């Protein structure tokens, strides 16, 4: 591992600046889901118990470099204290005085970093100001690691730096899934469009043994094989790109699994009349909304034979029943294999977490990343600035 963890740091009597993601949903001034705060507990507890003083820094919303009172972290300081179980003091922009006044076990929560334009511009001066508050820097916000901001990038070069527990857990899960995985590795990539996942597909075909393509994006691949996809969501102009990906996969020894049968309907709505047809027999006036049972059987067989799974994107229009069937069935299979210790499964991305939760499968996956953008960029094989900076 090229990055340090809390175990490598002497935290006793040190001020520790911890970048966290506590961008929690709020309604009428109340936090409606405190999951993101719960997930930083291990890092905060470790530092506090090791005799360090925690200074939390985070962003909230998109204030774009200006003070937007509704986006002040003062509003969630109470919830942060409750969830963490430590006294929390909120600091406006007079960080220095607030640090000096800290007493006993108190944790300091700095005001929304993005109120300062220097945060998003990765301004060295702002990073220096933050760094001057502490002795050690800890990044526990993997979900913000794809952005080169003052609190994720510049600052890591100014203080002894390490990954927090959540960052450590996330990086380990991702490394186990793609950098040093047990083979065979299967990737399931679904979702709406090929165009948003070109880099991801290009990176994965070079790294995995099987690539299952599902969802709307499978239609583009079927069309590229001269199959009629009727009125399906399909990017016909990407036929050449789809063929290039298939050629690249073949050269890399990656088997692409496209659906051999599909569920078609005339209407995009819950309970719409539907039928299962062969993947080359979509009626001209119908659209493909899910993978069929034979396709699911082939995916499940691939999962049975795999050691590792990386999953991003649903296999069908999972929000409307019964077009969630393929996603649910494959998710249940992956969950069961993971629970039995036969599969290491890592999933993440925008709608993926919702789809796996809806399938009731998320709990049994080995790891579910809640970091949308950062997870996708990592699947694309990109260097995440916040992670790269931790490597020194
Ligand atoms: P993710 O956010 O998981 O990376 P996307 O945002 O690319 O994935 O795609 C998710 C969306 O794709 C869902 O809203 C789903 O309904 C839609 N989708 C999946 N399969 C189809 C299909 N065959 N036709 C139309 N929409 C589909
Ligand atoms: Mg999405």
């Amino acid at each position: 591992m090229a990055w340090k963890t809390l175990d490598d740091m002497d935290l006793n009597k040190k001020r520790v600046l911890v970048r966290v993601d506590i961008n929690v949903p709020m309604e009428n001034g109340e936090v409606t889901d405190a999951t993101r705060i719960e997930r930083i507990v291990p890092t905060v507890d470790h530092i506090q118990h090791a005799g360090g003083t925690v200074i939390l820094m985070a962003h909230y919303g998109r204030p774009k470099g200006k003070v937007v009172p509704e986006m002040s972290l003062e509003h969630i300081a109470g919830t942060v204290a409750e969830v963490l179980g430590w006294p929390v003091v909120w600091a406006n922009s007079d960080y220095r005085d607030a640090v000096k006044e800290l007493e006993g076990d108190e944790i300091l929560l700095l005001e929304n970093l993005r109120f300062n334009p220097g945060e998003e511009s990765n301004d060295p001066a702002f990073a220096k100001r933050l760094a001057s508050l502490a002795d050690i820097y800890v990044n526990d916000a993997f979900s913000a690691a794809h952005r080169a901001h003052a609190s994720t990038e510049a600052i890591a070069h100014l203080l002894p730096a390490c990954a927090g527990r959540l960052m450590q857990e996330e990086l380990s899960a991702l490394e186990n899934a793609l950098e040093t995985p047990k083979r065979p590795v299967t990737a399931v990539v679904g979702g709406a469009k090929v165009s948003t996942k070109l880099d991801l597909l290009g990176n994965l075909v070079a790294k995995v043994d099987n690539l299952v393509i599902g969802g709307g994006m499978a239609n583009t691949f079927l069309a590229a094989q001269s199959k009629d996809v009727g009125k399906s969501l399909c990017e016909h102009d990407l036929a050449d790109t789809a063929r290039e990906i298939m050629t690249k996969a073949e050269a890399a020894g990656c088997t692409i699994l496209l659906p051999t049968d599909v569920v078609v309907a005339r209407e995009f709505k819950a309970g719409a009349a539907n039928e299962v047809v062969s993947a080359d027999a979509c009626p001209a006036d119908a659209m493909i909304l899910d993978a069929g049972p034979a396709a699911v059987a082939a995916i499940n067989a691939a999962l049975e034979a795999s050691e590792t799974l990386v999953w991003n994107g649903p296999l069908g229009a999972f929000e409307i029943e019964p077009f969630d069937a393929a996603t649910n069935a494959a998710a249940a299979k992956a969950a069961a294999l993971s629970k039995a210790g036969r599969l290491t499964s890592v999933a993440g991305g925008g709608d993926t977490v919702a789809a796996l939760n809806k399938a009731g499968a998320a709990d049994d996956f080995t790891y579910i990343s809640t970091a949308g953008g950062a997870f996708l960029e990592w699947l694309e094989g990109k260097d995440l600035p916040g992670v790269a900076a931790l490597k020194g």
Side-chain angles (χ1 to χ4, degrees):
M1 250 169 257
W3 29 273
K4 291 196 166 98
T5 72
L6 289 170
D7 301 317
D8 301 309
M9 314 307 263
D10 176 11
L11 302 160
N12 192 27
K13 302 210 164 58
K14 301 280 167 44
R15 285 185 188 138
V16 188
L17 198 49
V18 189
R19 176 58 158 102
V20 292
D21 178 0
I22 48 174
N23 203 14
V24 288
M26 287 187 75
E27 251 169 61
N28 307 320
E30 298 287 325
V31 174
T32 53
D33 178 357
T35 308
R36 283 184 159 157
I37 304 174
E38 286 159 15
R39 298 189 80 187
I40 64 169
V41 167
T43 294
V44 170
D45 280 355
H46 180 91
I47 297 167
Q48 293 282 99
H49 290 306
T53 299
V54 171
I55 304 172
L56 297 174
M57 56 175 179
H59 71 279
Y60 194 86
R62 296 174 187 272
K64 305 227 161 96
K66 291 194 191 73
V67 175
V68 180
E70 307 86 80
M71 295 181 192
S72 169
L73 285 177
E74 186 176 16
H75 305 309
I76 66 163
T79 309
V80 172
E82 235 166 78
V83 175
L84 297 183
W86 297 97
V88 171
V89 177
W90 168 80
N92 64 11
S93 53
D94 293 326
Y95 302 152
R96 279 202 145 277
D97 292 343
V99 169
K100 277 187 221 132
E101 286 161 19
L102 281 183
E103 284 173 13
D105 279 345
E106 284 174 346
I107 288 176
L108 190 65
L109 172 63
L110 301 188
E111 178 58 297
N112 192 343
L113 294 168
R114 290 188 185 168
F115 283 1
N116 190 311
E119 165 63 355
E120 291 184 78
S121 66
N122 201 17
D123 175 23
F126 184 51
K128 217 171 145 188
R129 203 180 137 213
L130 293 169
S132 73
L133 304 174
D135 309 298
I136 290 171
Y137 167 72
V138 176
N139 191 345
D140 213 20
F142 176 79
S143 53
H146 58 314
R147 310 256 185 253
H149 291 172
S151 68
T152 61
E153 207 282 331
I155 193 170
H157 304 291
L158 302 176
L159 289 173
C162 76
R165 291 292 186 232
L166 182 55
M167 172 73 91
Q168 185 184 345
E169 188 183 56
E170 187 102 26
L171 291 177
S172 304
L174 301 188
E175 286 179 359
N176 288 342
L178 272 196
E179 311 313 327
T180 52
K182 279 206 236 162
R183 292 190 177 274
V185 182
T186 294
V188 172
V189 180
K193 292 176 169 181
V194 173
S195 53
T196 59
K197 294 189 181 171
L198 277 177
D199 291 343
L200 187 153
L201 291 170
N203 183 45
L204 287 181
V205 291
K207 289 196 169 157
V208 305
D209 304 293
N210 306 301
L211 173 62
V212 173
I213 299 179
M217 64 197 308
N219 303 337
T220 301
F221 282 83
L222 293 174
Q225 294 178 329
S226 305
K227 290 177 177 129
D228 203 338
V229 296
K231 293 202 161 128
S232 301
L233 174 65
C234 178
E235 293 165 293
H236 289 282
D237 54 328
L238 286 183
D240 284 342
T241 307
R243 281 189 288 266
E244 275 163 31
I245 291 169
M246 289 189 274
T247 308
K248 191 177 168 191
E250 209 180 329
C254 167
T255 306
I256 290 191
L257 265 84
L258 282 168
T260 50
D261 63 346
V262 291
V263 181
V264 300
R266 265 90 185 165
E267 288 172 291
F268 190 91
K269 70 167 200 207
N274 62 84
E275 59 187 312
V276 175
V277 299
S278 166
D280 55 6
C282 177
D285 64 344
M287 57 196 151
I288 300 169
L289 290 181
D290 200 10
V296 171
I299 295 168
N300 287 356
L303 295 179
E304 281 272 357
S306 296
E307 291 287 337
T308 304
L309 165 68
V310 181
W311 185 328
N312 169 257
L315 295 174
F318 76 99
E319 299 95 337
I320 51 172
E321 281 168 36
F323 308 106
D324 56 349
T327 302
N328 291 348
K333 182 75 189 178
L337 290 169
S338 307
K339 197 174 179 186
R342 291 173 52 197
L343 183 71
T344 299
S345 52
V346 175
D351 295 294
T352 313
V353 184
L356 297 182
N357 275 329
K358 188 165 176 284
D363 286 349
D364 288 329
F365 268 63
T366 312
Y367 194 76
I368 301 270
S369 172
T370 48
F375 181 80
L376 287 176
E377 288 199 20
W378 179 84
L379 283 188
E380 290 166 359
K382 292 192 179 136
D383 239 352
L384 308 183
V387 176
L390 286 182
K391 292 181 179 167

